Structures are given as C-alpha cells and as structure tokens.
Amino acid sequence: MSDSTRDRIINVADALFYQKGFEHTSFSDIANSVGISKGNFYHHFKTKDEILNAVIDFRLFRTRELLNAWHTSEAEPDKRIQCFIKILITNRAKIKLYGCPVGTLTTELGKLSHPLLVDANKIFTLFKDWLASQFEELGKCKSESEALAMQLLARSQGSATIASAFGDEEFLYEEVESHVRWLNEIK
Amino acid sequence: MSDSTRDRIINVADALFYQKGFEHTSFSDIANSVGISKGNFYHHFKTKDEILNAVIDFRLFRTRELLNAWHTSEAEPDKRIQCFIKILITNRAKIKLYGCPVGTLTTELGKLSHPLLVDANKIFTLFKDWLASQFEELGKCKSESEALAMQLLARSQGSATIASAFGDEEFLYEEVESHVRWLNEIK
DNA sequence: AAGATGTTAGGATGACCGTCCTATTTTGTC
DNA sequence: GACAAAATAGGACGGTCATCCTAACATCTT
C-alpha cells in the first residue's frame, strides 16, 4: 500500500475501527490521526459509509494476500490450516486488547443494521471457503469440509472473544494447542 | 421483576442494549419504547452510565437465578453443564439476530474503554466460576476445571458469533451436539 | 384537607457529529 | 510560464445526543 493521502486515511481508519469500533470513530478522529483537515478528508471520502467500504475492501484484499501467502509457503493442507489456527498467537497482543477484527466488526454492523454488513461478512466467507477447500484437500467430502471450516472459524472466534474479555494472552496459546490437537485428530 | 417505571426502563434498556448496542441506543430510544417522557427517564436515571449499571446488575441477578435453577433442577454436574451448553438452542432465535448478550456487550464496552467494562465482565466470571465448580464436582482438579470452564465458554462464544454472522440457526444445533460430545469425552 | 414527597412532562442547553461549501495552495500538462 | 485539475484547509450547517431545568401532577402522611 502506497502512502498517498487516500491510502493513509484507509490505514488509519482500519486501525481506529478495530480499536474503537466503527460508530465510536468520528471523521475528526481519523482526520486528526492522519494529520489532515476535515475538508481534505471529505475530498477523498464523502460519507462515513464510503470510508467503511474502503476499509472493508482493504481488509478483503489483505485477507486474500494472507491466504495466498499460506498457500505458497506451505505445501500440505494441514500445515496451511495450522497457519490459520496460529494467527491467534501472531496477533495475540491486539486480540487481547480489541478482539478479532472480523468478528467485532460484523457484530457491530449487525447491531447497527448497517447496509455494509453484507460486505463485512465476505471476509468471514473468504476464510470459510479457503478453510473448506483445505479440508477437501485433506480428503474430506464437500459437506464435511464445510462443517469443519465453520467449526474452526467458531473456535477461533470464541478464543479471541474470551481472551479479550479476560485480558488473557496465555489463554490464546492453550487454545491454539487445543485446536492443533483437534486438527490432528480429525485429519 | 415488578412493573414499576424504573423496572420497565431497565427491561427495555436491557433489550435495546442487546439488540442495538449500548452506544447506538439513545435516551430517547429507551424513553419512547417505554412510553414515558425524557424528563421522567431522567428522574430515575441521571446518566447513561447509571442505566447501563442497572442493566448490568439486572443481568447479573438473572444469571445467578439461572444458575441456581440449573443447580436445583439437575442433580448431576454433567447434566448441569449440559444446561449451559443448551442455552445456545434455547436462545437460538435471538442469538442468530444479535449474538451473545454477554460477549457483545463486553466487546463493545472494551472498544469504548468504558469504566463499567469491569462490571460487565463479572457476568462472564459468574458463568466461568460456576462451570469450574461443576467440573470439580465431576472429579477434575481445580486448575483443570478452570481451564475446561474457559474452553467451554470460548466454544459457546464462538458458536454464537458465527451463527449470528452467517444467520445460521441450524449451526447452533450442530455446535451444541459437538459440545455435548466433547463433554462426554472428557468426563 | 393540606402540606410534603415522589413522579411525570416537555422543553432548553451545549457539545459533538456527519456533511457540505468556499477559498487557497499545490501539482500536472501543454 | 499559464492554465486546468487535484489537493488541502477551515469553517458553516442542521441534526442528534446526553444532560439539565422548571412546572405540573399524583400520592402519601398526618
């Protein structure tokens, strides 16, 4: 991502939406954090939904890149699934503070009945479909692969929520161990 | 709970905080929904934090009642744990729409850096300690019981979040089945 | 019945927010 | 270098919100 003003806005908004939530983040918050005026901000994004839309697109892009990276760095599907499981550890510090960026955004947009909820959910679907395809490569049938992908998504979500609620980073390590054991049992 | 104005306010606020989130619910929202004036509302609760505090206390009270009910209706600790597991089914319709009331509130208050986050987390602790004591009755040592309680909390949280994100009520049934199987394996 | 206390209504206030507008500066093009 | 286009600044606007105030009404006590 370049350092154009537009991209800097998206980067800052991405972080603030994660840390403070979408509704609790104001235009001024973002503009101040980027170091630009409100007028300049408005030149790039006319409405709050526009910036939210850009952030979601950015997250979708980053997620695809992440999945591609795992796909090329790991040859075996179970190793790839382990990459997913271990993001809880990679991002443990932020998860402890702010929970899972995907889960917390979709939950908030759901309560706001926000029209862009549909798009935010695409990030979940991206992970789900990718996980399902890995389980298929492991030899599972299509329907079971779907179910296993949903299960693993749910487990990761729960680990993040509870680690955040109890401010317990260590819990994430225990959960990752448990998820890896689960993976080894079913494969 | 009686039908005094104060109690009616708490009931409505409880529901609205769950459905729309704390920040997205205004004084007017609550007053209108109860059918009283803003001035009347103010007579009972001076600040938004005061009503949030009352709602949290109410939820703590209701949670204690729920746990006591399970304690008296079920003689065996594993049956009691099953009661906890099955709230996902009991509340499936609302969970699909709004997620878990405990998890979504603590997540939101966390992002707001709200001083009452500490109190909201007590609801989680209530469930955790109660679950841990049930696992102890099952014969587990104290530290393992704590760990199992956290695991089960996390699993339930994850199931609720994913069911809500995908609008998938059926998923809750599959998850409850899976959690019950897990319980039977470890006991 | 009368005064005191609790309850309700409805509007005022000041702050903040999303949005919009205008003027100025910078950048790019020929 | 001149001109168009893009970028930036800063403030205006209408709305909503939490909070507060005052007055009217109801209930209770004696």
Side-chain angles (χ1 to χ4, degrees), chain A residues 168-186:
Chain A
D168 189 344
E169 229 170 282
E170 176 60 29
F171 178 65
L172 290 172
Y173 283 96
E174 299 166 16
E175 286 285 284
V176 163
E177 249 186 72
S178 163
H179 299 168
V180 170
R181 261 199 312 276
W182 168 83
L183 176 62
N184 287 329
E185 280 165 18
I186 62 160

Side-chain angles (χ1 to χ4, degrees), chain B residues 119-137:
Chain B
D119 297 281
N121 274 330
K122 287 179 187 166
I123 312 178
F124 261 141
T125 307
L126 219 55
F127 277 115
K128 192 199 75 181
D129 291 345
W130 183 85
L131 283 172
S133 76
Q134 302 312 310
F135 282 114
E136 282 196 64
E137 278 195 43

Side-chain angles (χ1 to χ4, degrees), chain A residues 61-94:
Chain A
F61 171 77
R62 223 175 24 190
T63 303
R64 285 195 197 91
E65 277 198 327
L66 186 68
L67 297 180
N68 286 338
W70 292 342
H71 216 88
T72 55
S73 74
E74 306 293 333
E76 306 298 324
D78 61 321
K79 293 285 178 197
R80 291 176 190 154
I81 297 171
Q82 278 197 28
C83 287
F84 171 80
I85 291 175
K86 286 176 181 165
I87 31 176
L88 288 181
I89 292 181
T90 312
N91 301 332
R92 62 186 181 280
K94 289 191 174 181

Side-chain angles (χ1 to χ4, degrees), chain B residues 6-7 12 28 38 40 47 52 78 87 133 155 176 179:
Chain B
R6 191 190 144 88
D7 290 341
V12 165
S28 307
K38 254 192 322 178
N40 192 3
T47 68
L52 174 60
D78 62 319
I87 32 176
S133 76
R155 278 168 169 264
V176 164
H179 300 168

Side-chain angles (χ1 to χ4, degrees), chain B residues 70-87:
Chain B
W70 292 342
H71 214 89
T72 55
S73 74
E74 305 294 333
E76 306 299 324
D78 62 319
K79 292 286 177 195
R80 291 176 190 153
I81 297 171
Q82 278 197 28
C83 286
F84 171 81
I85 291 175
K86 286 175 182 166
I87 32 176

